[in-house]
Each structure stands twice: as structure tokens, then as C-alpha cells.
Amino acid sequence: MTCMQAVLLYLAIGATAITGSGIARAADAQSALKFDLYACQRPVWPAAALAQHASGTTTLELRIHEEGYLLEARVTGSAGRADLDEAALDNTRGCTYHAVVSTGEVPSGWLKTQFKWSYTGTFPASDASLLVATTAQATGGDPAAQNRLGTWYERGTHVKTDLAQAALWYERAARAGNAHAQNNLGVLYLRGAGVQRDRQKATWWYAQAAAQGHGWAQANLAWSYQHGLGNDLDPELATYWLTQAADGGLPDAQIRLGTMLMRSAVNDDERHTAAGWLARAAARDDPSGLYLLGRTYELGLGNVQDDVEAAALYRKALGRSDGRAETALGVLLDTLRAQPQADDEAALLYERAMGARHATAFYRYGLLLEQRGEEALAVALYQHAAAQRNCDAVLRYVQFRPAVLVADPRDSHPPLWERRQRGCRTDPAMQPRFE
């Protein structure tokens, strides 16, 4: 539960999707830059700028070495804060520029890009009288006011963020039996935020709140039992508490339960039950619920296979599922299993998903580029997707670059790409799963 969200968007200037009209620009270094930026880790929002709700746009120019690393970066347009500009610069320094190099135009002068620092969400205005009144109530022993004051200190609402103060007020309310505070205090103990990290205490406080029917505490307690955080592993108790939270209407728990049951299902009845939990989350317009329910229709797991229904559900989740719905819908369009609503819609969807760093989108976009004759740029995208543990991209990249499997006779360790190939065959985390 949060009172605000901070979202960073960055776009390469002048870049377009590789559509029918844009294919001529596909090999342009300026246009290719965005693919490398999409693959980068997202910049870290400076704490001071975040606390002050600062926004702005940083415009940069970059020079890239022919081997794919940054030679030089400079700010040509400030966001109005030095810390935001420096964070943007730091991000470009940590990138690898496979896509830019693939164009064969490097070094070719300066490339331009923008980092747009902007917030979504609401920021309650500071209210001194409300803070005074709530503090008085909390000091007087009101558990609800104590929990409220704790959340303000945790989130920086009406006061400066202070996690130690947040923990203090949560603990006062928790000891008085406030379930919200008990769960919140458990979260701080699990994170080691404002208190010394203690998984056993986190689990204990979750259990106190869960016993009072607090949905998030039930889901958190289930996670503790599932992963042995502060107690022994206990899959049965994990399922019990997760079911309690899901049955109480918590979409996050419904999604976790449905996904867990789907992965362990061995027959159609079990898959149908799993899909039912996902449907309950989707009915509340939860984007992950919509996306995963779409997967059940696309794959025919627990629901009758139906590409039309899958596409409709994916469309409802667009822009809210970290690129997963965009990629899934793009695949349906690519394979002519769904009707597009715009020219080259699949390419546009993949590009949006790459902006969310969805590995499969890099791979699928690479396939489009390969089909359209842009093999060098396609291979660069396969390389980006492979770095994000996409096994299809690993195998495709090796097909284009078999030399990466050749070991130096003096090297006792197998090459990186051979290890990645082996990982795709043996590492369960890299195998296809329902997700």
C-alpha cells in the first residue's frame, strides 16, 4: 500500500517503431539508441529529488565507442536539478550499446536522448494542523492515530521520512492490537527498515495481524511459510493463509494462489480451479489478473482455448502489466491469431514492452527485424534479451554468433554463451513457466 508512486520514463529523441514507414530508419544509430536504453537498468531516482517531488527533463548527448561502451556524455538540457541530471548520466554510463554498434555507424558523433522524470499518483499537501492533531491523538494512546502517524513517517507525508519513527509508532499501535500496524511493523522487520532486520519478528507480527483477518498480513505470512522466512518451510500453512487472503478478496493473493496452483496442477480440474482464482482478480480489473487469465485462454489451461478472449483480456491490461500484456498480444497479432487495431500494431506493442524491460519483447522484436532484413540490429536485441535470461534469445543469438561457443584452449572455464546454453537446459528458473 503506497500513497504515491514515482515513475521514470525515458525516450530516445527521433526514434520510431520499425513499421512499414519506419523500416528505412531501422539501421540509423540515433534510432537504435532507444533499444539500448530500454535494456538498461532503470535510473535510480535521487532521494532528495524524490522527497521533494521534483520533476523535469534531462536532455543528453552521447558518444559511443565502436566496441559498445560509452565514450562521453554531456547534458545539453537540464531537468532543473543537478542530482536528476547526474542520475541520467550515471544511467547511460552503465549501459551496453549493442544496438547502436550494430548499425555500423559508430563512432559517428553525438547521439541525443531525453530522460523525463515525472510522477504518477497524488501527493497530499502538508497539513500542519492535521499533523498536530494526529500526533496528539497518537501520544494519547489512540492505536489508529499511531498507525496513521507511522505511515506518514514511512512515506514522508506531512513529515520528513523517518523509518525509525515509523517503526516506533507502528510498534505502539501493534502492541495495542492494531492489525494494520502489526502488518506494517512486520514489513519493516522483514526489510530491516528503521529497525534491525529480523525475519522471525516479521513473521510473528504477520501472524498477529493474520489472526485478526488482515488480508495483506495473511498473504505476507503465507510468503514466510512458503520461503521459510523466520520459521520452517511449511507449504500447507502457506497455502492455507494464502487461501484465506484470496478468499477475503485480496487480488494479489488471488493471483499468487492461482499461479501457484496452475504451476502444480496435474489435471484439468486443478487447472480450472487455478483459473478461477485468476478470474476473481481479473473481475476486479487487476492488470496481472487480466493478463494471467488471458494466458489461460491462450494456452487452454483451465479454460477452453480462445484466442479472441485472450486478446480482449490482454488489451484490458495494456500499460499496466510491466510489458507482459503488450508482448502477449503482440505474439497473437504476429501469428495472425488476433486482429490488429492499427498498422504494425505488434511492433508498437513490442516497443512499449521493451520500454518496461520485458525480455521476451526484445526477442520478438528481434524476430520482426530479422524478417525485415535488419539482421545486425536483430542480433543486438537477441543479445539484450539473452542478458535478461530469455532462453529463446540465447539460442537465437548463438545461431548467429557460433564463435561465442569456441573456448580458448588456455581457458579452463567454458565460454559465457556455452554456460548460458547449459543454463537454459538445466536451470528451472530459465525454463518456460506459466507466467
Side-chain angles (χ1 to χ4, degrees):
M1 297 180 291
T2 59
C3 62
M4 64 181 182
Q5 293 179 318
V7 177
L8 173 67
L9 306 175
Y10 55 83
L11 303 171
I13 297 176
T16 58
I18 309 304
T19 63
S21 61
I23 186 66
R25 291 176 51 80
D28 178 76
Q30 175 64 68
S31 186
L33 175 62
K34 66 178 176 181
F35 299 118
D36 293 321
L37 294 179
Y38 287 157
C40 285
Q41 293 290 337
R42 292 189 182 277
V44 176
W45 203 304
L50 185 62
Q52 295 170 26
H53 310 161
S55 296
T57 299
T58 301
T59 302
L60 304 179
E61 290 186 341
L62 315 177
R63 283 203 311 121
I64 311 300
H65 189 273
E66 60 185 7
E67 293 182 3
Y69 60 83
L70 183 70
L71 281 172
E72 188 177 359
R74 64 190 183 192
V75 176
T76 59
S78 176
R81 290 182 61 104
D83 53 357
L84 291 179
D85 295 338
E86 186 59 33
L89 286 169
D90 282 345
N91 182 253
T92 62
R93 294 173 185 133
C95 294
T96 53
Y97 297 89
H98 301 310
V100 170
V101 171
S102 75
T103 66
E105 299 180 11
V106 179
S108 59
W110 294 92
L111 302 177
K112 297 179 180 180
T113 190
Q114 279 187 332
F115 286 72
K116 295 186 177 182
W117 305 87
S118 60
Y119 289 92
T120 62
T122 58
F123 304 96
S126 180
D127 187 330
S129 62
L130 180 60
L131 175 61
V132 170
T134 301
T135 302
Q137 292 172 337
T139 303
D142 183 339
Q146 292 168 342
N147 178 66
R148 189 181 312 118
L149 193 56
T151 63
W152 291 351
Y153 274 109
E154 182 179 359
R155 299 168 182 171
T157 304
H158 306 303
V159 293
K160 184 178 180 180
T161 300
D162 187 331
L163 295 178
Q165 280 292 311
L168 184 152
W169 288 111
Y170 283 153
E171 182 159 6
R172 291 185 183 182
R175 293 191 179 281
N178 185 283
H180 298 289
Q182 291 168 343
N183 177 68
N184 292 339
L185 184 59
V187 171
L188 292 190
Y189 271 115
L190 185 67
R191 291 165 47 199
V195 292
Q196 186 173 353
R197 188 177 187 185
D198 191 323
R199 290 176 171 178
Q200 288 186 330
K201 285 186 177 180
T203 300
W204 191 86
W205 283 114
Y206 291 153
Q208 306 312 301
Q212 297 189 63
H214 191 282
W216 273 108
Q218 292 170 337
N220 289 336
L221 183 59
W223 185 266
S224 291
Y225 281 119
Q226 183 180 352
H227 297 280
L229 304 180
N231 49 41
D232 293 331
L233 286 168
D234 194 327
E236 289 187 6
L237 274 177
T239 301
Y240 170 79
W241 284 111
L242 191 57
T243 303
Q244 293 296 305
D247 205 35
L250 184 66
D252 184 79
Q254 293 165 346
I255 291 164
R256 281 169 50 190
L257 182 60
T259 303
M260 182 179 72
L261 294 176
M262 186 66 77
R263 290 174 180 170
S264 63
V266 296
N267 57 51
D268 288 341
D269 286 342
E270 292 180 356
R271 284 185 279 271
H272 182 71
T273 298
W277 286 111
L278 299 175
R280 289 179 64 171
R284 303 187 66 162
D285 195 40
D286 183 276
S288 292
L290 291 165
Y291 162 73
L292 290 169
L293 185 61
R295 293 288 287 164
T296 70
Y297 280 104
E298 180 184 352
L299 302 174
L301 297 175
N303 282 309
V304 176
Q305 202 283 329
D306 188 335
D307 287 335
V308 173
E309 183 63 22
L313 288 163
Y314 293 151
R315 288 194 182 280
K316 291 180 180 178
L318 293 179
R320 301 186 291 151
S321 65
D322 296 324
R324 294 180 298 168
E326 283 81 357
T327 301
L329 180 57
V331 172
L332 290 182
L333 296 172
D334 253 353
T335 53
L336 305 180
R337 294 161 58 192
Q339 293 296 316
Q341 295 183 355
D343 292 340
D344 291 301
E345 187 180 14
L348 294 169
L349 288 166
Y350 291 149
E351 183 169 329
R352 292 175 196 166
M354 284 188 285
R357 299 194 76 252
H358 193 248
T360 304
F362 286 87
Y363 168 69
R364 297 297 309 191
Y365 202 97
L367 293 178
L368 282 183
L369 290 168
E370 187 182 337
Q371 292 167 8
R372 300 179 186 190
E374 292 285 347
E375 287 190 357
L377 186 53
V379 172
L381 294 193
Y382 296 150
Q383 192 169 3
H384 280 317
Q388 297 180 55
R389 298 169 64 85
N390 181 281
C391 283
D392 290 327
V394 169
L395 300 176
R396 197 67 177 163
Y397 179 77
V398 169
Q399 287 180 343
F400 278 92
R401 298 284 186 270
V404 299
L405 296 180
V406 178
D408 186 323
R410 298 166 295 179
D411 190 353
S412 60
H413 300 288
L416 169 64
W417 288 95
E418 182 178 334
R419 296 198 302 273
R420 285 182 173 173
Q421 276 194 318
R422 290 179 183 177
C424 285
R425 293 192 295 266
T426 62
D427 184 353
M430 297 186 73
Q431 302 306 312
R433 301 189 303 166
F434 176 79
E435 59 184 12

